[in-house]
Amino acid sequence: MPKSREPQRVRIEDVAEWAGVSIATVSRVLNKTGRVTEETAELVREAVEELGYVPHAAARGLASRKTNTLGIIFPEIAGLFFSALLRGIEAYVAENGYQPLLYSTQGKKLSRHNPLPLNEGNCDGLIIFTDSLDESYLRQLHERGFPMVILHRTPPEGVNIPCITFENKQGARQMMEHLLGVHGYRRIAFLGAEGVEDSTWRELGYREALAAYDVSFGLIGNGKFLEPAARHVVQGWLADGIVPEAIFAADDESARGAIAAIQESGRTVPQEIAVVGFDDTLLAQYWSPPLTTVRAPIEEAGRAAAAQLIRLIRTGQADPLTLLPTELIIRRSCGCPVRNSGR
Amino acid sequence: MPKSREPQRVRIEDVAEWAGVSIATVSRVLNKTGRVTEETAELVREAVEELGYVPHAAARGLASRKTNTLGIIFPEIAGLFFSALLRGIEAYVAENGYQPLLYSTQGKKLSRHNPLPLNEGNCDGLIIFTDSLDESYLRQLHERGFPMVILHRTPPEGVNIPCITFENKQGARQMMEHLLGVHGYRRIAFLGAEGVEDSTWRELGYREALAAYDVSFGLIGNGKFLEPAARHVVQGWLADGIVPEAIFAADDESARGAIAAIQESGRTVPQEIAVVGFDDTLLAQYWSPPLTTVRAPIEEAGRAAAAQLIRLIRTGQADPLTLLPTELIIRRSCGCPVRNSGR
DNA sequence: GGTAAAAATGTAAGCGCTTACATTCTAGCT
DNA sequence: AGCTAGAATGTAAGCGCTTACATTTTTACC
């Protein structure tokens, strides 16, 4: 049985033949490398158009050892945080002639034994988002000289991979100042995510502020940065008769969970328990009550990561640490009176 | 000046040498193709481990004409809709040994003159999301025999590309039945997005329902599926003294905008104007009032798209049309009394 | 018109793999 | 021991490009 018509791929050779030139010339026209008479160039372009030629990315990458692609490693694809980050990356990357290639580890931790599908073969550099690669693997990649930047995670010791993160501690500190200083709350609980570095820093800000105000009350729950988990934790507290004056959720999703748990218990936010968050995603301004939170410039972080990576690829240099400032967004859930919608 | 230490890439040749075998054997072990003694295989695996060898994806792709990668084309990266879809795709694709490669057109419409960076060179097939490719380009790709599926858009005439979409008209119809039949509303406005196919179908459902109930009132605004645009449209209506009994927003973001505009005008939802949406994303259950909407199985759509594409790649066959059912989610914004939170 | 430098184009050697085919080895026969 | 089928492994030809270098053509100038 004859194989069903295998649609012939158009190759550079076909273009060359059509235009009556050599493949080298075609390549030169396409890549604008080397000089070619305008006449010939036009002829080649016509051939490309006529035949519908599209260069084969893999072949090109193999031959030139560049892919013009940046790999982006995410632990999972979810939520607005991710969207915003990606938007920032994408915008910057596109402006600079690269295309982003995404890979999500879906919770699996990658190591040398379970290596990344993204490597020199298909991208020129990597943006690594949080904790998805184990330390020795990260180190190995880095030693190979593969350009990488890390988002929201300090690189392992001795490995100087550029890092982009928020002023987490500082932001948390500010929020706590507001809760402690303006509202006078003392019994403030913290809802973090164990093992997530952002959360750890925010927690540190929380602790420091508490210490600064000489408050001995401290309550820390693991809301895993997920609404259901956070809701569950707070339900547990309330059931056990532990009723803080305020809950500082280390991200907006946890805040959402906390509010749900409190409201389900028949209590009101912020009158009985205030709740504040971190990130300012999730349309938090539309919640009831509108959420007081710390705005993290997520999109900006994406842009910064892309910028550092491209710089690293091109010049071999990049800033070891980029710290992005956060901003306190006061709405209603902390107990403040209406002022502005925080738009 | 000597070039700074160029870190040598480990190639299959190095592995072969270390293990004392030929590169063909290494390849066979790695791809589990052809027979190799367990002894030799083990030796090769040791070499791989020892040297930290990772195959070069481009070279592999070039030689084998397979990339195990699926390209996913999005108009833009934004919102929860996208996240959910991607999650569905990613889950299915990963289970089947592929990895997704994303490309966002950022609003630009791609054509033959501005071709896709994703092609035979770096992926084995394409999932195309809405209107990001022009018709003749789509046709050309299809004629080349490149496997593709389309999400939320009917393929151009004569081109039988498998298509995955929601029961948009049906879902809109159901919602309208609720508004017309249960609540008895007659002055119902529609907030769509011009040129978006999903919106067009939903609008058709809206019109049909109106006709079925012999309602002559009809008001259609272009909210562009964006909160600010929708808000603006509704502000305009209200300012002009046009006050419908209900607004059917063709997606949740527009619904959000409509609610905002109404509330800003000092009116209440749903008492004075009811608002309903479509998609059930965006934590719509937490809004104030909780949004009555049509749930579209977004994640399921992603999964279905991936499934069809992989089937197409492997067998050359796929279902021409996959229609995913929607579900009416009654909450409060339509005027219904509290029943359940729609969790 | 002749010559040399510059410009334009062509030739061919890879890039790091897979894989068809060739070769060598092993084991089971006679 | 000698022979052979089958298993194990090796050899080498590409995959479709880029690019260093070789060659040819043009231009500018004497």
Side-chain angles (χ1 to χ4, degrees):
Chain A
M1 196 177 88
K3 204 162 188 179
S4 75
R5 168 186 75 103
E6 175 93 14
Q8 272 312 101
R9 173 165 239 288
V10 181
R11 288 151 314 154
I12 197 171
E13 202 187 320
D14 305 316
V15 176
E17 193 177 333
W18 196 99
V21 299
S22 75
I23 60 168
T25 301
V26 175
S27 175
R28 279 189 282 255
V29 172
L30 260 38
N31 300 301
K32 306 195 203 325
T33 122
R35 37 204 340 135
V36 178
T37 350
E38 180 48 37
E39 229 174 327
T40 322
E42 189 47 39
L43 199 58
V44 168
R45 272 184 235 110
E46 250 172 59
V48 167
E49 170 68 19
E50 188 62 34
L51 300 170
Y53 170 69
V54 179
H56 190 291
R60 191 179 254 198
L62 189 55
S64 67
R65 323 58 233 298
K66 305 193 248 106
T67 61
N68 292 320
T69 295
L70 302 184
I72 302 170
I73 320 289
F74 280 89
E76 65 171 329
I77 290 167
L80 288 170
F81 189 89
F82 173 88
S83 291
L85 196 60
L86 206 50
R87 196 152 1 117
I89 294 174
E90 156 76 39
Y92 190 91
V93 152
E95 276 167 25
N96 286 274
Y98 284 87
Q99 63 171 318
L101 193 169
L102 260 61
Y103 181 77
S104 144
T105 60
Q106 295 293 347
K108 303 180 296 282
K109 196 138 174 168
L110 298 183
S111 66
R112 258 182 296 193
H113 313 280
N114 176 203
L116 222 43
L118 259 36
N119 57 56
E120 293 99 319
N122 40 28
C123 56
D124 300 338
L126 244 34
I127 296 179
I128 297 166
F129 182 63
T130 74
D131 239 11
S132 21
L133 266 55
D134 85 357
E135 194 172 311
S136 75
Y137 187 37
L138 209 55
R139 177 169 275 124
Q140 187 193 40
L141 283 170
H142 181 249
E143 274 164 12
R144 272 219 207 318
F146 197 55
M148 307 185 276
V149 307
I150 299 191
L151 264 162
H152 304 284
R153 169 181 175 186
T154 5
E157 233 174 288
V159 183
N160 63 327
I161 306 176
C163 171
I164 286 87
T165 189
F166 299 127
E167 282 187 347
N168 283 309
K169 199 179 82 173
Q170 177 86 348
R173 202 55 214 259
Q174 268 177 42
M175 176 60 88
M176 288 299 288
E177 297 282 345
H178 181 75
L179 261 27
L180 290 158
V182 177
H183 291 283
Y185 300 135
R186 286 299 175 268
R187 296 168 53 83
I188 304 176
F190 182 85
L191 215 43
E194 252 168 43
V196 176
E197 191 168 313
D198 275 351
S199 178
T200 310
W201 285 105
R202 292 169 193 179
E203 185 178 323
L204 200 59
Y206 162 80
R207 287 176 188 282
E208 285 187 9
L210 247 30
Y213 276 73
D214 260 332
V215 176
S216 62
F217 179 92
L219 176 59
I220 294 182
N222 180 17
K224 300 179 186 171
F225 279 9
L226 295 171
E227 192 256 322
R231 175 195 287 231
H232 194 77
V233 169
V234 176
Q235 280 168 343
W237 286 344
L238 297 179
D240 292 351
I242 305 173
V243 184
E245 292 169 279
I247 296 178
F248 180 10
D251 87 322
D252 287 354
E253 270 203 63
S254 317
R256 183 65 259 172
I259 293 176
I262 294 168
Q263 290 176 340
E264 279 164 14
S265 81
R267 276 168 261 245
T268 57
V269 177
Q271 290 79 1
E272 296 175 67
I273 307 177
V275 175
V276 299
F278 207 115
D279 284 347
D280 196 27
T281 52
L282 291 174
L283 263 22
Q285 57 181 306
Y286 292 122
W287 295 1
S288 166
L291 187 73
T292 290
T293 187
V294 179
R295 178 174 298 162
I298 303 173
E299 201 165 329
E300 186 54 44
R303 195 187 322 281
Q308 292 301 328
L309 181 56
I310 291 177
R311 194 169 141 225
L312 186 60
I313 292 171
R314 293 196 175 147
T315 70
Q317 310 227 318
D319 299 336
L321 181 65
T322 309
L323 257 188
L324 296 154
T326 56
E327 182 193 356
L328 199 57
I329 306 288
I330 306 292
R331 297 205 185 93
R332 304 269 302 286
S333 70
C334 58
C336 276
V338 197
R339 288 201 309 192
N340 68 57
S341 74
R343 263 237 107 182
Chain B
M1 197 178 87
K3 203 163 190 179
S4 74
R5 168 187 74 103
E6 176 92 14
Q8 272 314 101
R9 172 165 238 288
V10 180
R11 288 151 314 155
I12 197 172
E13 203 188 319
D14 304 317
V15 177
E17 192 177 334
W18 197 99
V21 298
S22 75
I23 60 168
T25 301
V26 175
S27 175
R28 280 189 281 255
V29 171
L30 260 37
N31 300 301
K32 307 196 204 325
T33 123
R35 38 207 336 136
V36 178
T37 355
E38 180 47 37
E39 228 174 328
T40 321
E42 189 46 39
L43 200 58
V44 169
R45 272 184 236 111
E46 250 172 60
V48 167
E49 169 68 19
E50 187 63 33
L51 300 170
Y53 169 70
V54 180
H56 190 290
R60 190 180 257 199
L62 189 55
S64 67
R65 309 81 218 294
K66 303 193 250 105
T67 62
N68 291 321
T69 295
L70 302 184
I72 302 171
I73 320 289
F74 280 88
E76 64 171 331
I77 290 166
L80 289 170
F81 189 90
F82 174 88
S83 291
L85 197 59
L86 206 50
R87 197 152 2 117
I89 294 174
E90 156 76 39
Y92 190 91
V93 151
E95 278 166 24
N96 285 273
Y98 285 86
Q99 63 170 319
L101 192 168
L102 261 60
Y103 181 76
S104 145
T105 60
Q106 295 293 347
K108 302 180 296 282
K109 194 137 174 171
L110 299 183
S111 65
R112 259 182 296 193
H113 313 282
N114 176 202
L116 222 43
L118 259 37
N119 57 55
E120 293 98 318
N122 40 28
C123 55
D124 300 338
L126 242 35
I127 295 179
I128 298 166
F129 182 62
T130 74
D131 239 11
S132 20
L133 265 56
D134 85 357
E135 195 175 310
S136 74
Y137 187 37
L138 209 56
R139 177 170 274 124
Q140 188 192 40
L141 282 171
H142 182 249
E143 274 164 13
R144 272 219 206 319
F146 197 54
M148 306 186 276
V149 306
I150 300 191
L151 263 162
H152 305 285
R153 169 181 176 186
T154 8
E157 234 176 288
V159 183
N160 63 330
I161 305 175
C163 171
I164 285 87
T165 189
F166 299 128
E167 283 188 345
N168 283 310
K169 198 179 81 173
Q170 177 86 347
R173 201 57 212 258
Q174 269 177 43
M175 176 60 88
M176 287 299 288
E177 297 282 345
H178 181 76
L179 260 28
L180 290 158
V182 177
H183 291 283
Y185 299 135
R186 286 300 175 268
R187 297 169 53 83
I188 305 175
F190 182 85
L191 214 44
E194 252 167 43
V196 176
E197 192 168 313
D198 275 352
S199 178
T200 310
W201 286 105
R202 292 170 193 178
E203 186 179 322
L204 201 58
Y206 163 80
R207 287 176 189 282
E208 284 188 8
L210 246 33
Y213 275 74
D214 261 331
V215 176
S216 62
F217 180 90
L219 176 59
I220 295 183
N222 181 15
K224 299 179 185 169
F225 280 8
L226 294 172
E227 192 257 324
R231 175 196 288 231
H232 194 77
V233 169
V234 176
Q235 280 169 344
W237 287 343
L238 298 178
D240 291 351
I242 305 173
V243 183
E245 292 168 278
I247 297 178
F248 179 10
D251 87 321
D252 287 353
E253 270 202 64
S254 318
R256 183 66 259 173
I259 293 176
I262 294 168
Q263 291 176 340
E264 278 164 14
S265 82
R267 276 169 262 247
T268 57
V269 178
Q271 290 78 1
E272 296 175 66
I273 306 178
V275 174
V276 298
F278 206 116
D279 284 347
D280 195 27
T281 52
L282 291 173
L283 262 23
Q285 57 180 305
Y286 292 122
W287 294 1
S288 166
L291 188 73
T292 290
T293 188
V294 179
R295 178 174 298 163
I298 303 174
E299 202 166 327
E300 187 54 44
R303 195 187 321 280
Q308 293 299 328
L309 181 56
I310 292 178
R311 195 170 140 224
L312 187 59
I313 292 172
R314 293 195 175 148
T315 70
Q317 310 227 318
D319 299 335
L321 181 64
T322 308
L323 256 188
L324 296 155
T326 57
E327 182 193 357
L328 198 58
I329 305 288
I330 306 292
R331 296 204 186 94
R332 303 270 301 286
S333 69
C334 57
C336 277
V338 197
R339 288 200 311 189
N340 68 57
S341 72
R343 263 235 108 182

